[in-house]
Amino acid sequence: MSVSSPARLAILISGRGSNMQAFMDACNNGDLDASIVLVLSNKTDAPGLCRAAEAGITTACIDHRQYDSREAFDAALVAQLSQYEPDLVILAGFMRILTPVFIEPFAGKLLNIHPSLLPKYPGLHTHQRAISAGDPEAGVTVHFVTLELDGGPPILQARVPVLAGDTAESLAERVIVLEHRIYPVAARWLLQGRLHLSEKGAILDGEPIPPTGIDYVPGIR
Ligand code: GRF
């Protein structure tokens, strides 16, 4: 994959955008040789949109309620994003189920972050599900996006222990700290040409990544 320098990132959000902020920080402090060319939301009132605009980043909103089908909405997303020629498209709390109309044009350069240790708990309410199941640990996964919801090949995973008395909120507070650390690392690998999606799964430095992703350790490069 050939990548611009600095690389062009597009970020899709639906909410507060704390992962988006982690990318803004990584671009600003030199951790990522990239610039954010567009932040796109499906919600006009997403707090992250204001945060991005205040930082001088171009923002746009495409309201999914204006479209008759998921495919029509996805086609509008693709049309908007394509104008910005992104090297990498980052889903950062983008709360829409995507169809092949969106996924196929960006295959191999579309990442998501999901707050569970995939393949456990695709979908919603992941922290509560981990607590209810009595899991000793929970965490977060960065993965390639494929046609299977939360089912694309994992890249990086970070774990936290589930503590006695944890609520979904207290667990989420510890997990989100790790989300902000691991997501820019996976993006950097991809932009450096070290990471790619193959028919057999995710490949890093020529080696297949294990099915649950690489275990994050602080300082990983
Ligand atoms: C994060 O927990 C992320 O894992 C999930 O949605 C949440 C987005 O949070 N996909 P934020 O908007 O980045 O703060």
Side-chain angles (χ1 to χ4, degrees):
M1 185 175 96
S2 81
V3 168
S4 329
S5 182
R8 301 172 63 80
L9 303 188
I11 304 184
L12 274 64
I13 63 168
S14 299
R16 66 188 164 176
S18 72
N19 279 288
M20 174 200 76
Q21 181 70 53
F23 277 96
M24 288 162 58
D25 296 344
C27 292
N28 288 338
N29 69 21
D31 265 358
L32 271 183
D33 177 23
S35 82
I36 301 170
V37 294
L38 180 67
V39 170
L40 181 55
S41 178
N42 64 312
K43 293 199 153 199
T44 46
D45 59 354
L49 274 182
C50 290
R51 209 194 271 218
E54 280 166 13
I57 296 170
T58 303
T59 61
C61 183
I62 299 179
D63 185 341
H64 59 279
R65 294 170 303 181
Q66 308 292 323
Y67 295 84
D68 289 339
S69 66
R70 289 190 188 279
E71 287 76 10
F73 171 64
D74 283 4
L77 291 178
V78 172
Q80 177 84 13
L81 279 168
S82 300
Q83 291 176 36
Y84 292 85
E85 300 182 344
D87 295 302
L88 176 57
V89 177
I90 303 283
L91 303 181
F94 188 65
M95 302 303 284
R96 299 300 302 164
I97 292 174
L98 295 164
T99 70
V101 171
F102 180 85
I103 293 170
E104 282 169 358
F106 298 114
K109 53 183 187 177
L110 181 56
L111 300 183
N112 185 41
I113 190 157
H114 182 74
S116 78
L117 297 173
L118 289 172
K120 278 194 160 184
Y121 314 130
L124 298 175
H125 311 302
T126 53
H127 299 312
Q128 187 55 55
R129 287 156 74 194
I131 292 168
S132 301
D135 291 354
E137 58 182 11
V140 57
T141 307
V142 178
H143 65 96
F144 279 111
V145 176
T146 60
L147 298 180
E148 193 186 339
L149 179 67
D150 298 326
I155 299 163
L156 252 181
Q157 234 173 27
R159 296 160 190 278
V160 297
V162 178
L163 304 178
D166 252 339
T167 61
E169 291 72 28
S170 65
L171 187 52
E173 274 177 24
R174 294 202 307 285
V175 171
I176 197 88
V177 174
L178 292 170
E179 297 194 23
H180 301 160
R181 292 197 192 139
I182 71 172
Y183 210 174
V185 172
R188 191 175 64 238
W189 289 345
L190 190 142
L191 296 175
Q192 288 173 334
R194 295 174 56 192
L195 171 69
H196 66 272
L197 178 63
S198 80
E199 281 177 7
K200 291 182 185 158
I203 307 285
L204 180 67
D205 297 333
E207 300 288 334
I209 292 179
T212 53
I214 290 169
D215 261 331
Y216 170 77
V217 287
I220 196 168
R221 296 303 292 175

